[in-house]
């Protein structure tokens, strides 16, 4: 067995060890970031639930930006800016394309995140935002809502669907679609005992905006958590695979080294016998 083969295996072992160090480091970074922001997850969900409960108690207003139901649909797609998160980013893009295929009044996409824009740039993308944030805040949700309202006004759109990541658990992250606008009357549980001040339209507008803002913040936050879980899992799998490959390469190296030593001994013995 040639020493060239042994050197090639050694190089592969060294390269795989280097890769394993990188994937392990990325796994640790994803875990640290998860531990940092996961404590806020319950507060984000509570904010969304409270805003929705308040909306259900106010009088429904038919003539409003938030309730009009005419032609024109926008798909807002929330995706990561970074890769190395398994199939999660591409699953979000596939879901966005699936939703579009079922719409007859599709006007275009609003892509949030580099992965979303990259996957949809051959489609009709009306707006994009890349590298907007690392960890989402309410201010980011407010900024994105303002852009959506501008698109709706400029393009004659009344329907908005949001494609985002749903965090089932630490191992399962799935794409999900939510009908953000219009707000429909079936969401409301009107209680005649209440009287509202100021006028009902003002109360509804304020409650509806807070509801939309809380949902947007929830979707941004849940997608970020899903991304970090997906990256943590992907890097753990990559690290484990690299470890297994190193063990296989070490076994192959030892086998070939032993065969090389045995061959050299045989040649020495044969040479001695010929003298």
């Amino acid at each position: 067995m040639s020493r060239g083969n042994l050197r090639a295996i050694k190089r592969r072992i060294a390269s795989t060890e280097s890769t394993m160090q990188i994937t392990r480091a990325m796994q640790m970074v994803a875990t640290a970031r998860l531990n940092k922001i996961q404590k806020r997850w319950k507060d984000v969900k509570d904010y969304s639930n409270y805003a929705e409960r308040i909306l259900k108690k106010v009088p429904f207003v038919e003539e409003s930006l938030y309730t009009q139901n005419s032609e024109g649909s926008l798909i807002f797609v929330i995706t990561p800016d970074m890769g190395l998160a398994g199939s999660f980013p591409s699953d979000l893009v596939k879901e966005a394309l699936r939703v579009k295929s079922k719409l007859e009044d599709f006007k275009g996409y609003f892509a949030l995140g580099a992965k979303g824009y990259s996957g949809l740039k051959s489609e009709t993308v009306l707006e994009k935002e890349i590298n907007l944030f690392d960890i989402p805040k309410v201010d980011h949700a407010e900024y994105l809502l303002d852009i959506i309202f501008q698109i709706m006004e400029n393009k004659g759109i009344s329907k908005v669907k949001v494609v985002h990541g749903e965090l089932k658990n630490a191992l399962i992250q799935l794409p999900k679609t939510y009908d953000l606008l219009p707000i429909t009357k079936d969401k409301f549980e009107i209680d005649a005992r209440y009287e509202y001040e100021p006028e009902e339209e003002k109360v509804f507008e304020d409650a509806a905006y807070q509801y939309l803002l809380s949902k947007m913040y929830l979707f941004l936050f849940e997608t970020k958590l899903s991304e970090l879980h997906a990256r943590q899992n992907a890097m753990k799998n990559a690290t484990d695979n690299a470890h297994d490959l190193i063990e296989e390469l070490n076994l192959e190296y030892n086998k070939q080294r032993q065969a090389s030593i045995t061959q050299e001994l045989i040649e020495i013995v044969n040479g001695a016998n010929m003298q």
Side-chain angles (χ1 to χ4, degrees), residues 14-30 82 84 231-232 234-236 238-240 242 246:
S15 175
T16 306
E17 285 177 342
S18 177
T19 300
M20 186 172 68
Q21 291 175 358
I22 294 171
T23 56
R24 183 182 286 121
M26 294 189 70
Q27 178 189 346
M28 293 173 64
V29 169
M82 295 175 57
L84 300 176
R231 183 168 295 113
Q232 181 187 49
M235 292 302 98
K236 181 181 184 304
T239 301
D240 292 344
I246 289 170

Side-chain angles (χ1 to χ4, degrees), residues 1 27 37 53 79 87 94 219 271:
M1 190 65 63
Q27 178 189 346
I37 71 171
R53 285 166 56 187
T79 67
S87 65
K94 289 176 183 176
F219 298 148

Side-chain angles (χ1 to χ4, degrees), residues 78-238:
I78 306 172
T79 67
D81 286 302
M82 295 175 57
L84 300 176
S87 65
F88 178 66
S90 60
D91 288 343
L92 291 167
V93 173
K94 289 176 183 176
E95 173 68 6
L97 293 171
R98 185 195 66 81
V99 174
K100 174 205 168 184
S101 69
K102 296 183 177 298
L103 294 176
E104 296 181 355
D105 59 350
F106 172 76
K107 289 292 186 74
Y109 291 105
F110 178 5
L112 175 65
K115 291 300 175 181
Y117 178 64
S118 175
L120 297 170
K121 60 185 178 182
S122 61
E123 301 286 330
T124 305
V125 178
L126 302 178
E127 187 68 49
K128 73 178 190 301
E129 283 289 341
I130 297 174
N131 297 320
L132 178 62
F133 55 76
D134 181 32
I135 303 300
K137 299 178 181 178
V138 174
D139 290 346
H140 300 126
E142 189 170 14
Y143 171 73
L144 293 168
L145 266 184
D146 288 344
I147 295 177
I148 288 174
F149 293 145
Q150 291 174 14
I151 296 173
M152 292 173 66
E153 182 179 357
N154 294 337
K155 301 294 182 179
I157 292 171
S158 67
K159 303 170 190 173
V160 178
K161 296 180 181 292
V162 180
V163 176
H164 63 96
E166 181 184 25
L167 182 63
K168 288 288 188 181
N169 54 53
L171 297 177
I172 301 175
Q173 304 82 36
L174 300 173
K176 187 175 182 180
T177 300
Y178 186 85
D179 292 331
L180 187 67
L181 287 169
I183 297 173
T184 55
K185 198 169 186 178
D186 58 2
K187 292 182 181 293
F188 290 78
E189 305 164 357
I190 304 302
D191 193 330
R193 295 175 299 173
Y194 292 109
E195 294 183 359
Y196 301 92
E197 291 185 1
E199 60 273 12
E200 293 183 353
E201 291 79 6
K202 174 63 174 172
V203 173
F204 173 79
E205 295 281 330
D206 290 347
Y209 182 80
Q210 285 301 319
Y211 160 77
L212 296 174
L213 183 62
S214 70
K215 284 297 181 187
M216 181 64 70
Y217 186 36
L218 178 75
F219 298 148
L220 296 177
F221 208 92
E222 187 171 13
T223 303
K224 174 55 70 172
L225 283 177
S226 299
E227 173 196 343
L228 292 175
H229 275 292
R231 183 168 295 113
Q232 181 187 49
N233 295 336
M235 292 302 98
K236 181 181 184 304
N237 291 336

